[in-house]
Amino acid sequence: MAVQLLITNKALVVQGDPLTGWRDLDATIKFNEPGSGSVTLTAWPEVMAQLQPGNRVEVIRDGGYWMGGPMEIPTDYTWSISDEGEPDPGRVTINFSDDLAVPAGFITWPSPDNSWAGQPANAYRDLGPLNSETIIRMLVNENCGPGARGERRIPNFVLDAAVGAGTTTTVNTRFEPLLDACRRVAVAGGRIGFRTWRDGSQIKFGCYQPRDLTSTARFSRGLGNLRYLGYKQSAPGVTHALVAGTEPEEGRSGRTYVQVADTAAAATWWRVERYVDGSAADDTKGELTQAGTVDLADGSAPIELSTITIDTPDLKAGRDFGLGDKVAVALPNGLQVADLVRSIHLQASPNSGEYVSTLVGSSAATSDPQMVQLVRTLSRRLGRLETR
């Protein structure tokens, strides 16, 4: 079995031996979002001793780091005399996330150097024009990284070296979920990725530039690395984002309007307009265009491609392709679809082995319910309205 499970404490010190007697591991990593997982274990005393609040789970696959993060539910214990074949100690299921879930619990402060009581009214954190990686690193560093106020600083959390990913963009944010702001910047600034991983006694946060692997990372029945394929393409929710800037003050010039369009999608399908409130955005820095770009990406014609893949000596998840990379999938009708890897789902048990499924598609191809996506968008827009 190529999968190993470890428990560490907050200081990232491994607690005891690798877990044994586990079954039904389910671990999903996601592009620019916290991953999640669960595993069921026999509740031996030496196992229960490791399942303490604040501890972390790490999934090691083929000797490499697959994912790791805090236990959200460290002990979900059950025992029943009716459980045929169940050992005397019973069973315990733990639910965990990856370490990206910790910065996801923070919001963007307009003045991160000041205390909460000292936050200014009607002000935004305005960054750019700068490289998108630089902006994301600044947001993370000042809100929860080494550069944050002491009470907001995540222990053992550092920024990895910059790699120069992304293009020039801007951000204008106030009391917005930190990772929501980072995702907006990532989309507008070259569609880059960001992630966390453990490196010795530190959790590192870094950005990266996804790769175009369509010529080398290919899935098909003929190659023998594809077990299941589901494909759905839908019409776009928006082809023309019509962005309106801040209402002018009395005596000043008129309101600024910006259009961001996907003319190719409109020609293929039809024109779909969407009004975008750009209140408090600074058009001199291109923020109205950025708002339209993000809205257009959210409403693009979604290609939802779900696969169950088989690792082969020539192509393996995590080694030959990763989150955010563009890969190719051959459809039975002779067509080939190329899009981004949005999530990779690992299921494993000692008896049945491993199954790896990959979700490939547009940003609309996500496991989040549509209502969750809508709430995120509304939260961002309401935040702007509150400071107008």
Side-chain angles (χ1 to χ4, degrees), residues 31 191 210-211 324-327 338-342 359-362:
F31 182 52
R191 299 180 181 272
R211 303 161 294 176
D325 290 337
K326 182 179 284 189
V327 300
D339 217 316
L340 305 186
V341 175
R342 294 289 170 181
L359 179 64
V360 180
S362 71

Side-chain angles (χ1 to χ4, degrees), residues 124-200:
Y124 282 81
R125 184 65 172 128
D126 195 359
L127 297 173
L130 290 167
N131 174 272
S132 56
E133 178 187 17
T134 301
I135 293 177
I136 291 172
R137 288 168 59 87
M138 291 176 69
L139 288 173
V140 171
N141 183 52
E142 67 189 22
N143 283 287
C144 63
R149 289 175 58 88
E151 70 273 17
R152 303 187 74 205
R153 203 173 297 154
I154 299 173
N156 307 305
F157 184 76
V158 300
L159 300 184
D160 193 31
V163 297
T167 58
T168 300
T169 187
T170 62
V171 72
N172 189 271
T173 182
R174 172 183 173 86
F175 304 144
E176 181 181 2
L178 175 59
L179 292 194
D180 283 3
C182 291
R183 277 189 288 268
R184 288 198 293 120
V185 174
V187 169
R191 299 180 181 272
I192 67 173
F194 53 84
R195 58 193 171 195
T196 56
W197 67 97
R198 179 168 75 89
D199 184 4

Side-chain angles (χ1 to χ4, degrees), residues 282-295:
D282 185 350
D283 192 43
T284 63
K285 296 184 177 182
E287 290 176 359
L288 293 182
T289 301
Q290 184 208 52
T293 300
V294 172
D295 222 77

Side-chain angles (χ1 to χ4, degrees), residues 201-232:
S201 60
Q202 296 177 322
I203 298 296
K204 289 187 174 180
F205 175 93
C207 298
Y208 64 99
Q209 187 69 57
R211 303 161 294 176
D212 186 342
L213 302 177
T214 51
S215 62
T216 58
R218 300 182 65 252
F219 300 97
S220 72
R221 293 173 60 185
L223 291 173
N225 58 8
L226 190 63
R227 283 192 173 181
Y228 167 83
L229 170 66
Y231 173 78
K232 180 173 73 174

Side-chain angles (χ1 to χ4, degrees), residues 260-310:
V260 182
D262 185 343
T263 54
T268 301
W269 297 88
W270 49 80
R271 182 183 177 106
V272 184
E273 297 179 344
R274 179 184 293 172
Y275 174 81
V276 181
D277 183 7
S279 300
D282 185 350
D283 192 43
T284 63
K285 296 184 177 182
E287 290 176 359
L288 293 182
T289 301
Q290 184 208 52
T293 300
V294 172
D295 222 77
L296 204 63
D298 290 343
S300 62
I303 295 175
E304 299 180 41
L305 189 65
S306 58
T307 67
I308 296 179
T309 64
I310 306 171

